[in-house]
Amino acid sequence: MTARLYAAADGGNSKTDVVVGDSDGRVLARVTGPTISPHVLTFDGALAGLSALVARARAEAALPAAIELSHLAVYTAGADLPVEVDRLNAGVSALALAATTTVDNDLFALLRAGSATPDAVGVVCGAGINAAGRRADGATSRFPALGQLSGDWGGGHHLAALALYHAVRAEDGRGPATALEPAVRAHFGRPTVEAVAVALHLGELPAARLEELCEVVFEVAAAGDDLASRVVRRLADEIESLVRVSATRLGLLREPYTIVLGGGVLTARRPMLHDDLLARLHALSPGATVTVLSSPPVAGAALLALDHLHGGACPPALESAVRAAL
C-alpha cells in the first residue's frame, strides 16, 4: 500500500513549526515561521499564514502539486474557546490543503508530544500559562485561557511584570524591600528602577525586553529573597491548581495518569519551582507520572496526524521514528 502523506502544525504565540511526513513514519520536511495564532493575527491572517507554511513545507519535501495530503493536523495558540476551534476547523477545511483536517489548541500537541498515554493532563508555562487534559474515552478538559479575563495567573510575561512592579514599589517606598530592586536596575544598567519603567514606557527599551525579568525573578528567589520566593511559590500554587482541576474534571485525580509539564519556564527545571512541583503533584495524585517535555510540540502534532491515519493509534515503531527524526 502506498504511504499516505500528512502535514502537521504546532503554532505558538511567537512561532509555528510545520512538518510534512508519511504514514510509514518518515519525516520529509520541517519548516519554522511566524505565529498563526488568530489572537495575534486576524482570523484570515492566521489562515493565510498556515497556507504559506504548508506550501513551504511541501516545497522542502519536493512534493509535486498534484500529490494530495491525506490529512492536515493543526494545533495552535488562539484556539481556546469552542467557538474559536469550530471556526478554525471550518476555515482550515475550506483551504483544501488536505483531504481531511483537524484543528485544536496547541496544548493537545504538547500532551501528545509528552506522552502516548490516553489519560493525561498537560500544563504549559512559557510566556503565558494554560492547561488541558484528555481521557481514554475522548473526554477533554480545558480552560478559556483569556488572561485575567478568565482568572489566569502566571506565565513568564506575568512574572516579569511582577518583578518590575515589586522593584518599583520597593524603590519608592510603597512596597516592602526586595532584592528585585537592585537586580532590575543592574539588569538594564539604569540608575533607578523608575528609569527602567520610564525607558520601557517611552520605547527607549524595547517592550519585549521586559520578559527578560522572568529569569531575574528566579535568580533573586534562588538567592533567598523572600518576596521573589513568594512569587515562585505562587506560581507553583497555580500549576498545582490547574492540574487538580483538570484531573478532577476527568475523574483522574486518584487514577494512574500522566502529567506533562511544558513551556520554557517549566522545561528549565529551576530547582525552587521544579522540586516543589514534583512534591506537590505526587501528594496530589500519588498514581500519576510526571514528565517534563523533551520532544518539540510539533512532534505531538505529527503523532496526532499519524494517529488519525492509523485509525486512532500510531504504531510504536513509527512513533519512535518520528520522535527520533524531530
Side-chain angles (χ1 to χ4, degrees), residues 8-70:
D10 170 70
N13 285 309
S14 60
K15 70 178 182 69
T16 302
D17 286 327
V18 175
V19 163
V20 168
D22 68 23
S23 56
D24 289 339
R26 290 185 288 263
V27 174
L28 306 177
R30 177 181 179 181
V31 300
T32 299
T35 179
I36 58 169
S37 168
H39 287 182
V40 178
L41 308 173
T42 63
F43 176 75
D44 289 339
L47 296 181
L50 174 66
S51 294
L53 284 169
V54 172
R56 275 182 55 198
R58 286 184 61 110
E60 185 169 306
L63 296 183
I67 295 181
E68 182 182 43
L69 298 173
S70 294

Side-chain angles (χ1 to χ4, degrees), residues 233-283:
R233 287 195 298 271
R234 175 66 182 85
L235 180 60
D237 290 342
E238 187 69 12
I239 294 167
E240 179 185 3
S241 295
L242 288 167
V243 173
R244 174 178 51 78
V245 172
S246 299
T248 299
R249 288 174 175 175
L250 295 171
L252 297 176
L253 196 61
R254 299 302 173 192
E255 303 296 327
Y257 68 102
T258 301
I259 300 170
V260 180
L261 304 177
V265 173
L266 293 177
T267 58
R269 297 175 184 253
R270 297 177 179 90
M272 177 174 285
L273 177 62
H274 182 71
D275 295 347
D276 187 18
L277 272 179
L278 290 184
R280 288 168 179 253
L281 296 176
H282 176 71

Side-chain angles (χ1 to χ4, degrees), residues 55 76 82 90 100 136 142 144 170 177 187 195 202 208-209 231 247-248 263 270 315:
T76 181
T100 59
R142 62 182 79 205
H187 183 82
L202 295 178
R209 290 203 60 194
V231 170
T248 299
R270 297 177 179 90

